[in-house]
Amino acid sequence: MPEQTDYLSYMNKGNYAMALTLLDQEINKNSNDPALYYNFALCCFQTKNFKKSTQILTDLIQNYPKFIEIDNAFRLKVFALIELKDWEQAENLIKERLKFAVDDPKLLSFLAHIYEYTHRLGAAIEVHRKILSVTPDYKNSLNSLGYLLALKDHLTKEERSEAVRCLKKVLELEPNHPAYLDSFGFLLQKSGNIEAAWKAFQKALKINPNNPILLERLKNLRK
């Protein structure tokens, strides 16, 4: 019989289907180990069975509230709900958890993501500002805040400076990240600096060839 740690080796190799089989065997032998349920939910998530992952995590959170990975269990459940596009339940879960995990940047990032995809851009911007007030080098929020500000039809002088500052900072932290270069290029384009935008998009495309978003950006610049 496989040892309990074997499922971890399969998870590390990305073979989540085999890991699920071994985890199922381990759960049948030891039904009181929350780590087994957490890893089972993680494998379900990785195999895109988001509904099953959510169900397992719901039971885990209810039955093992002192589980050492409880924060990650909440985050994973939120992520699964987002993948299911269950925006309302994901938002409610985040707000409930933030009462205990105040200023958790990952939960707040998920909340901003929900606001963005439910067309509440102003609320998403404010969440990213909140994250950066606590964690100034949080790359996801530096990039997202800069990009969301660039999406606005009318930027104030202060907002434009804020967007430039955020995107320059995230590119200092990770200068060859194609998504960050794309955001910076988009801001430059919106600001009328077409030549600099072209260079940013071209650099991003060299790193991530055939990216459809970058190709569309360059196509639009030619018009």
Side-chain angles (χ1 to χ4, degrees):
M1 294 293 289
E3 295 182 2
Q4 184 172 350
T5 54
D6 280 357
Y7 71 81
L8 292 174
S9 67
Y10 281 102
M11 289 177 69
N12 291 333
K13 295 173 185 175
N15 190 343
Y16 298 104
M18 179 58 74
L20 279 169
T21 299
L22 296 178
L23 278 162
D24 191 49
Q25 294 173 4
E26 292 298 332
I27 289 170
N28 286 332
K29 292 189 295 182
N30 183 5
S31 61
N32 295 314
D33 186 347
L36 294 175
Y37 293 106
Y38 175 73
N39 282 297
F40 193 93
L42 183 57
C43 289
C44 288
F45 183 94
Q46 292 291 353
T47 54
K48 300 189 182 303
N49 191 345
F50 304 118
K51 186 175 181 180
K52 182 67 173 179
S53 181
T54 301
Q55 292 169 346
I56 295 293
L57 290 165
T58 299
D59 292 340
L60 171 63
I61 290 167
Q62 180 178 345
N63 295 328
Y64 302 98
K66 295 184 180 180
F67 175 47
I68 191 169
E69 295 282 359
I70 197 68
D71 286 334
N72 284 330
F74 273 101
R75 294 181 190 125
L76 184 58
K77 183 179 177 181
V78 168
F79 201 175
L81 289 168
I82 287 173
E83 292 289 346
L84 291 168
K85 293 184 170 51
D86 190 341
W87 309 116
E88 183 177 359
Q89 189 176 347
E91 181 177 342
N92 290 338
L93 181 61
I94 291 168
K95 290 179 176 178
E96 185 64 31
R97 188 58 186 168
L98 284 172
K99 295 176 182 177
F100 305 95
V102 179
D103 295 331
D104 183 317
K106 292 184 179 178
L107 286 177
L108 287 169
S109 290
F110 282 136
L111 183 61
H113 177 85
I114 292 168
Y115 286 157
E116 180 181 350
Y117 278 82
T118 53
H119 311 293
R120 291 174 282 174
L121 296 188
I125 286 170
E126 289 308 315
V127 171
H128 285 301
R129 283 174 173 157
K130 180 178 180 180
I131 293 170
L132 292 172
S133 71
V134 177
T135 313
D137 291 340
Y138 198 71
K139 290 183 284 188
N140 177 68
S141 286
L142 287 169
N143 177 62
S144 296
L145 179 54
Y147 181 74
L148 291 175
L149 287 170
L151 283 175
K152 296 184 69 172
D153 292 331
H154 302 288
L155 276 177
T156 66
K157 182 179 179 180
E158 291 77 15
E159 287 173 331
R160 191 179 306 279
S161 296
E162 182 180 21
V164 170
R165 185 169 62 252
C166 286
L167 292 173
K168 282 188 173 181
K169 185 171 183 178
V170 77
L171 283 168
E172 287 174 4
L173 295 170
E174 201 163 342
N176 294 315
H177 195 298
Y180 302 162
L181 287 164
D182 172 61
S183 296
F184 191 50
F186 181 67
L187 176 62
L188 292 167
Q189 181 183 356
K190 289 289 293 285
S191 303
N193 195 340
I194 304 303
E195 183 178 352
W198 179 274
K199 290 179 180 178
F201 292 144
Q202 284 280 20
K203 183 177 179 180
L205 198 62
K206 287 180 181 178
I207 301 164
N208 189 9
N210 301 317
N211 180 284
I213 294 175
L214 292 167
L215 290 169
E216 187 66 21
R217 301 272 201 223
L218 290 167
K219 179 181 175 182
N220 290 335
L221 282 181
R222 295 191 185 102
K223 294 179 179 179

